[in-house]
Amino acid sequence: MTARTDTQSAGWREWLTTDTPQSRAQARLGRAWAGWTAFRRNRLAVAGLLIVLALVVVAALAPVLAPHHPYAQDLNNRLMPPSAVHWLGTDAFGRDILSRLIHGARLTLMIVTLVAATAPLAGLVIGTVAGYFGGWVDTVLMRITDIALAFPKLILALAFVAALGPGIENAVIAIAITSWPPYARIARAETLTVRRADFISAARLQGASSLRIILGHIMPLCVASLIVRTTLDMAGVILTAAGLGFLGLGAQPPLPEWGAMIASGRQYVLEQWWVAAMPGLAIFIVSLGFNLLGDGLRDVLDPKGD
């Protein structure tokens, strides 16, 4: 039985690594297998992937994993140090910090997902349109991009949140609005390298419209670079969201957002250090995970980096 399993595994591996794929699906699966093989050689990248997957699992199973209700107050046990009952201690209202961190993972994942689904897409559209058409279209779109890049991201996000009003939804909108310019510049650079390529000229001669060329030929070539940049930027997104929450412009109490938790514990940082240190540690670990994952994806998806 073991020999048969080994034979089947070797057959699949040979099918995936062949130099002469018999179908488009086989070629795509072969590239995916080669990428995964290269990715798993990087132990730090695998560690980053595990951290991100742990964030997803914790967010999905928060009601099951949390030992206490995140909003349950117990003033008789306020500011208690880590113990067998409260593994990470309690805050100024006697709420279990571990339970609030677990439920706060949902907010963090929601912010990351919404920003990753909006900002790169907007940057991709703007960058490819500017790079493909050139001329005054490129000039106008890139000058707008340069103006947006001239402002520090957190300061610009503060301005948008101040105009829109505090809240987790407005914080996500503000972060997404301030995050698209780098993606636009990357997409434009990729477009400039391929817009005069032979296959683009061939598609144009066959009667393909500009929209079809951009959507079907240019945008797919930009995706790999944008995926890497998106993963690396997620740490910055988390820090920006935490900064807005710390300043009271992001998630509002009693939501267990990690930045707001740090803000509520800053007055106890010298004596009851765990109140602010635990959410800060969570931000550090998750940000590190995204950075490590992004470095690994860059090594796999960016052949120019070799």
Side-chain angles (χ1 to χ4, degrees):
M1 185 67 179
T2 304
R4 182 179 179 181
T5 303
D6 293 340
T7 302
Q8 292 177 345
S9 177
W12 275 106
R13 190 176 295 109
E14 182 180 356
W15 184 79
L16 289 170
T17 58
T18 180
D19 294 331
T20 56
Q22 301 300 315
S23 65
R24 184 176 299 177
Q26 184 180 359
R28 290 176 176 174
L29 290 174
R31 287 197 301 269
W33 174 257
W36 167 247
T37 302
F39 179 84
R40 67 181 182 181
R41 293 196 197 102
N42 189 336
R43 295 184 178 180
L44 291 178
V46 173
L49 175 62
L50 293 177
I51 291 174
V52 174
L53 290 177
L55 174 68
V56 175
V57 172
V58 168
L61 302 179
V64 178
L65 297 178
H68 303 276
H69 195 279
Y71 304 129
Q73 301 183 15
D74 184 4
L75 297 180
N76 293 324
N77 289 313
R78 61 189 300 269
L79 299 176
M80 295 296 292
S83 63
V85 179
H86 302 284
W87 288 4
L88 299 183
T90 61
D91 63 8
F93 295 96
R95 297 172 297 193
D96 184 66
I97 292 178
L98 175 60
S99 299
R100 290 179 63 77
L101 287 179
I102 291 175
H103 281 269
R106 287 187 160 187
L107 295 176
T108 299
L109 188 63
M110 181 192 73
I111 294 171
V112 167
T113 302
L114 291 177
V115 173
T118 53
L121 181 60
L124 176 63
V125 173
I126 293 173
T128 51
V129 169
Y132 180 78
F133 289 105
W136 67 268
V137 175
D138 183 30
T139 301
V140 171
L141 292 178
M142 285 302 101
R143 293 303 76 77
I144 295 174
T145 303
D146 291 338
I147 293 172
L149 286 172
F151 293 93
K153 184 183 294 186
L154 181 58
I155 302 300
L156 198 57
L158 286 173
F160 280 114
V161 173
L164 297 172
I168 189 69
E169 297 85 1
N170 292 339
V172 171
I173 294 174
I175 295 173
I177 291 175
T178 59
S179 298
W180 66 265
Y183 303 108
R185 295 192 71 89
I186 292 174
R188 175 181 179 270
E190 295 282 354
T191 304
L192 290 176
T193 61
V194 300
R195 70 174 182 175
R196 301 191 185 280
D198 292 340
F199 69 93
I200 297 295
S201 300
R204 193 179 294 115
L205 289 173
Q206 290 176 352
S209 64
S210 297
L211 178 62
R212 182 174 181 180
I213 292 174
I214 292 175
L215 293 178
H217 297 281
I218 295 179
M219 282 189 177
L221 296 176
C222 303
V223 170
S225 298
L226 291 184
I227 289 175
V228 173
R229 179 63 191 247
T230 301
T231 308
L232 291 172
D233 279 355
M234 287 305 99
V237 169
I238 293 172
L239 293 175
T240 302
L244 294 175
F246 182 86
L247 296 174
L249 297 175
Q252 299 298 297
L255 289 176
E257 197 274 324
W258 294 345
M261 292 176 64
I262 296 176
S264 65
R266 67 182 185 275
Q267 58 184 317
Y268 312 107
V269 70
L270 295 180
E271 296 181 359
Q272 288 83 23
W273 53 268
W274 55 88
V275 180
M278 296 307 176
L281 183 61
I283 293 173
F284 167 76
I285 292 175
V286 173
S287 300
L288 178 64
F290 276 107
N291 281 333
L292 295 176
L293 177 60
D295 286 338
L297 291 177
R298 180 179 57 192
D299 295 338
V300 172
L301 298 178
D302 185 10
K304 296 184 293 292
D306 295 337

